[in-house]
Amino acid sequence: MLNINVIAPDELTIESKFKFRCYPGISCYKSCCKNIDIMLTPYDILRLKNRFDISSGEFLMNYTYVFIEPKSGYPFVFLNKNNDEEMTCPFLCEAGCSVYEDRPATCRYYPVGQASLKKFDLTDGITDEVYFFVKEPHCKGFQEDKEWSVAEWRKDQGVDLYDDMNRGWKELFFKKNLKADKIDEKKQKAFYTACYDIDAFKRFVFESRFMDVFDVPQERIEKMKKDEVELMNFAFDYVKFLLMIKETLKLKKS
């Protein structure tokens, strides 16, 4: 988990300015890739498993572990660390990040952190995004002269796309009923499969009686067969329906 002690107390906006630069040769280079807990989003996993040309199940088994949030019962996926003295990221190499083009959203944001807050008084599904600095003692990047706004940093690091892709997943954590019961083990497994194991979810949708139960437009079915992002967004809708967050799917009439 992110160490609360390294979070700067000031809340940032998209226009907030800061100075930061990271590059090979800076004295702290690669220090942020050691002994850190990186939570993976569904789109992170999709990008990385395709980079390695393996199934989502193989990626999850070889590179991740699961944390069950005690109060909600929601499963979250974290990247394994190497079993070395510095507990390095498994994708760290001599030159830096070996998966840089497909690095997770958390890595793209650094040294900015991001959180989503639900606007309960507005249209259902709308969230506010707030930002904060992650200031670790070892990081010398803040001593550099390059100035950014949060918006400029997000664009430069390519994190806008990741936020768009994961928006439906984030909405799963904003239930209308704040006192909702903890989800049971069966729903935990369904949540995990739908959100993180995209290949297993695809088999569930197309190789079971799923389509006999749910009324899914043919056009959407064809898109899901060809496009993993379409399938991922459908998975988010399925979990919203399963957890009774929103009536995103319709049952077939008997």
Side-chain angles (χ1 to χ4, degrees), residues 28 83 146 223 233 237 240:
C28 60
N83 189 25
K146 175 66 175 176
K223 286 182 178 179
N233 286 322
D237 282 346
K240 289 174 187 175

Side-chain angles (χ1 to χ4, degrees), residues 72-200:
S72 66
Y74 282 10
F76 294 94
V77 171
F78 283 79
L79 189 64
N80 284 336
K81 290 173 251 188
N82 285 327
N83 189 25
D84 56 21
E85 186 177 349
E86 295 181 306
M87 300 175 70
T88 54
C89 170
F91 306 135
L92 185 65
C93 65
E94 186 64 29
C97 178
S98 64
V99 297
Y100 188 78
E101 298 83 358
D102 298 297
R103 65 197 186 282
T106 296
C107 305
R108 290 172 183 269
Y109 260 113
Y110 189 89
V112 176
Q114 186 252 24
S116 297
L117 301 174
K118 182 70 181 255
K119 289 182 176 179
F120 288 102
D121 57 331
L122 296 179
T123 306
D124 184 47
I126 295 178
T127 60
D128 261 343
E129 291 176 347
V130 297
Y131 307 92
F132 52 88
F133 286 135
V134 179
K135 289 192 173 182
E136 297 180 289
H138 59 71
C139 182
K140 308 301 180 186
F142 286 103
Q143 298 174 14
E144 297 289 317
D145 290 330
K146 175 66 175 176
E147 186 174 72
W148 311 84
S149 67
V150 171
E152 289 168 340
W153 181 254
R154 291 176 79 248
K155 183 177 180 180
D156 184 77
Q157 297 298 305
V159 80
D160 299 56
L161 171 64
Y162 279 66
D163 281 348
D164 287 343
M165 292 295 102
N166 289 309
R167 204 166 303 282
W169 174 68
K170 291 178 182 179
E171 289 174 356
L172 299 176
F173 311 120
F174 298 108
K175 291 185 178 182
K176 290 180 180 179
N177 180 8
L178 292 177
K179 297 181 179 179
D181 293 334
K182 178 177 176 180
I183 63 173
D184 59 30
E185 187 175 343
K186 185 176 180 180
K187 288 181 178 178
Q188 281 178 8
K189 291 179 178 178
F191 187 113
Y192 177 86
T193 299
C195 290
Y196 308 122
D197 196 345
I198 191 73
D199 293 313

Side-chain angles (χ1 to χ4, degrees), residues 26-42:
I26 194 170
S27 62
C28 60
Y29 191 58
K30 299 190 291 186
S31 295
C32 56
C33 305
K34 301 170 183 177
N35 194 22
I36 183 171
D37 295 304
I38 299 175
M39 186 172 73
L40 298 177
T41 69

